[in-house]
Amino acid sequence: MQKLQVFGPNVLKGKINVSGSKNAALPILAASLLSTKKIFLKNLPKVNDIKTMIELLKSLGSKVKYKKKTLIINNLKQNKRVAPYRLVKTMRAGILVLGPLLAKFGNAKVSLPGGCAIGSRPIDIHLKGLAGLGVKYKIDQGYVHASAPRGLIGSKICFSKISVGATENLLIAASLAKGTTILKNCAIEPEINDLVNFLNRIGCNIKWIAKRSIKIVGVSEIKENSYSVMFDRIEAGTYLIAASLTRGNLKIRNIIPNLLKTEVKILKKIGAFIKVKKDEIHICGSKKIKSTNLKTAPWPGLATDLQAQMMVLLCKANKNSVIQENIFENRFMHVAELNRMGAKIMIKGNKALINGNTTFAPAELMATDLRASVSLVLAALTTKGKTIINRIYHLDRGYEDIEKKLRKVGAKIKRFK
Ligand code: EPZ
């Protein structure tokens, strides 16, 4: 298994070009199953979750190939309806093929995604929503067996809890349902809006009718078209935090700064100097990192996917801080590893009490999940000496060329077996 070695401390200086969004691309790839024609997708990040989703589409009968930087998906002969455990277990977003397969064929068999390091990851809200469209399902031997004998019928559905994945599954399924569907209490992350834009681009009829409500008028025909996926705001946020942490000076480019408003506000409060331009944020870290208390929340609150990274920054703050994790029940797996580097973080329920003025010591570390892994890289960047991070396959699921991008701005980081 590959490892990362980081020699610190590093001060990051220069420009970083942000890649396409993994969390926008995954539902869009799943939604391409609605089509029986060709779909052309641009700006997909070269990360393992995208590779796994492409494998899943191929296992369902899609013909998928890259032509230069464009992914061409040809679903003319796509006719399989079973999403196997071996692919869904490593990439939970595989459950997002359930909606399109039901919409297109009226039946599907999809492996339950299973839990992971950050929580049990249930799909009850997905299934309840699909039942609202007339889907009958049973869980048997780790699979969802679902069917819609009379086809999907549009209706009014109010999610019991805000769920990004459930909103995406229902948006895709309702696109081909008979009649109109109204979804209420939707997740409204920018990646959802990117999915709506893609679906409308291929001929669907979807409109926001209130802050968390959306109206989908079912269509019968999906058009051939192309679409460029939005930028990865979590990758961008990670590098903004890295600049603040290393007291560096970075220009984070190819982004829509407005979609990072919450994180920019927090970093300014902590002391960073930030200039926002049209498609770039210029950030200079300040000597003094001020403590603050943070809570993760659905958009437009602080992204849970940036919680671990913010925690590393707050370890270096001038006083103690508290982070409250409100989205996932077990998203503090990075705390044990940070404490092994000399952090003093105590967990009380869904709160992490973080001592400031930490001096990290180099250590051999274990990555546990995607965002925890990158928080260990951030901590290593500010540590004097050599830090080794194991199981970096977690990192490769969602960060394109991370060591290349960091080396380019001065980090002493390399990958080895
Ligand atoms: C998406 O996961 C993202 N993944 C996650 O990013 C992100 O952390 C999360 O949204 C929240 O923003 C992708 O987009 C591929 P949810 P998802 O459904 O859809 C509970 C990363 O690091 N829930 O909004 O799984 C669930 O357990 C990943 O890139 C139910 O109880 O998140 C969680 O506590 C990690 N029942 C909460 O809701 C359900 O049916 C939010 O989950 C569904 C979810």
Side-chain angles (χ1 to χ4, degrees):
M1 270 194 248
Q2 293 189 334
K3 304 175 181 192
L4 274 183
Q5 174 184 290
V6 181
F7 265 109
N10 298 266
V11 177
L12 303 184
K13 285 202 168 85
K15 297 185 179 90
I16 292 185
N17 290 327
V18 171
S19 304
S21 163
K22 159 181 93 78
N23 289 352
L26 289 171
I28 286 172
L29 283 163
S32 72
L33 286 166
L34 291 175
S35 165
T36 54
K37 302 200 177 79
K38 281 187 185 169
I39 302 281
F40 303 84
L41 295 178
K42 297 186 178 81
N43 200 32
L44 293 178
K46 294 240 178 313
V47 295
N48 289 348
D49 270 9
I50 299 298
K51 288 180 194 147
T52 307
M53 182 59 94
I54 289 172
E55 277 317 301
L56 179 51
L57 293 181
K58 285 180 178 170
S59 75
L60 291 166
S62 299
K63 296 274 172 275
V64 189
K65 67 174 193 291
Y66 272 104
K67 198 167 176 196
K68 293 206 179 85
K69 292 193 171 170
T70 301
L71 185 76
I72 304 170
I73 304 170
N74 184 337
N75 284 326
L76 205 56
K77 299 202 176 85
Q78 188 277 317
N79 60 5
K80 297 198 180 81
R81 299 121 204 240
V82 179
Y85 174 66
R86 66 180 172 82
L87 289 170
V88 178
K89 73 176 187 232
T90 58
M91 195 258 322
R92 259 153 297 287
I95 193 64
L96 294 176
V97 303
L98 183 59
L101 290 174
L102 283 167
K104 195 169 166 182
F105 301 114
N107 62 71
K109 179 182 164 191
V110 177
S111 167
L112 284 170
C116 67
I118 63 176
S120 58
R121 309 301 288 274
I123 57 164
D124 55 311
I125 303 172
H126 297 240
L127 296 175
K128 199 153 160 271
L130 290 168
L133 297 182
V135 172
K136 305 275 175 261
Y137 66 85
K138 69 176 171 47
I139 311 273
D140 184 34
Q141 296 177 32
Y143 278 80
V144 179
H145 301 256
S147 64
R150 295 185 303 125
L152 299 184
I153 317 284
S155 71
K156 262 202 182 123
I157 292 161
C158 183
F159 295 114
S160 58
K161 178 175 175 185
I162 292 171
S163 159
V164 169
T167 303
E168 291 165 343
N169 237 332
L170 267 291
L171 265 172
I172 300 168
S175 293
L176 290 187
K178 289 185 202 75
T180 298
T181 299
I182 306 278
L183 299 178
K184 292 188 168 217
N185 200 27
C186 295
I188 54 173
E189 272 64 6
E191 293 75 20
I192 305 257
N193 213 36
D194 216 36
L195 174 62
V196 169
N197 294 338
F198 166 73
L199 288 168
N200 285 335
R201 179 72 64 81
I202 60 171
C204 299
N205 180 347
I206 303 175
K207 250 207 307 293
W208 291 99
I209 52 174
K211 184 181 174 202
R212 289 189 181 275
S213 300
I214 199 156
K215 179 178 170 188
I216 305 114
V217 178
V219 296
S220 51
E221 176 74 15
I222 294 289
K223 293 191 209 108
E224 183 168 299
N225 213 329
S226 65
Y227 190 75
S228 183
V229 162
M230 69 176 277
F231 79 101
D232 193 315
R233 66 190 169 94
I234 304 303
E235 182 194 15
T238 301
Y239 291 127
L240 286 170
I241 294 168
S244 188
L245 185 67
T246 62
R247 280 91 172 176
N249 179 339
L250 286 180
K251 286 185 176 170
I252 311 294
R253 307 168 74 194
N254 300 344
I255 63 172
I256 304 171
N258 195 34
L259 299 185
L260 286 149
K261 239 177 3 198
T262 301
E263 289 74 19
V264 164
K265 206 164 133 220
I266 291 168
L267 290 171
K268 280 183 174 169
K269 192 171 162 213
I270 287 176
F273 305 100
I274 292 177
K275 230 178 0 219
V276 172
K277 296 193 178 149
K278 186 169 154 301
D279 63 352
E280 169 188 303
I281 293 178
H282 184 183
I283 177 167
C284 298
S286 71
K287 279 243 164 314
K288 185 172 159 201
I289 297 173
K290 293 177 208 145
S291 63
T292 186
N293 295 333
L294 301 174
K295 288 182 181 170
T296 63
W299 176 272
L302 171 62
T304 174
D305 293 348
L306 287 170
Q307 178 255 105
Q309 299 90 316
M310 285 287 187
M311 189 179 286
V312 176
L313 183 55
L314 292 176
C315 286
K316 305 296 280 185
N318 59 345
K319 292 199 191 89
N320 297 353
S321 307
V322 178
I323 295 187
Q324 185 172 320
E325 170 55 52
N326 293 315
I327 307 292
F328 286 103
E329 74 265 27
N330 181 34
R331 201 168 197 174
F332 287 140
M333 298 293 283
H334 40 289
V335 169
E337 293 304 288
L338 293 175
N339 284 343
R340 289 183 61 243
M341 293 181 79
K344 286 187 185 54
I345 307 165
M346 195 161 58
I347 298 173
K348 273 198 170 160
N350 69 340
K351 287 194 178 90
L353 314 177
I354 306 150
N355 275 28
N357 301 305
T358 301
T359 305
F360 288 119
E364 179 136 12
L365 305 169
M366 187 77 78
T368 52
D369 62 86
L370 171 56
R371 307 304 174 182
S373 329
V374 85
S375 77
L376 302 182
V377 174
L378 295 183
L381 289 172
T382 62
T383 301
K384 192 169 177 344
K386 176 172 87 172
T387 298
I388 305 279
I389 301 166
N390 293 285
R391 295 192 183 170
I392 53 166
Y393 59 85
H394 290 289
L395 202 53
D396 294 336
R397 290 186 48 194
Y399 284 91
E400 183 178 73
D401 295 337
I402 185 163
E403 68 264 31
K404 221 157 85 188
K405 292 188 180 186
L406 284 172
R407 254 202 309 273
K408 203 171 130 252
V409 291
K412 293 187 277 309
I413 180 170
K414 72 175 184 175
R415 182 183 290 249
F416 68 103
K417 282 242 182 284

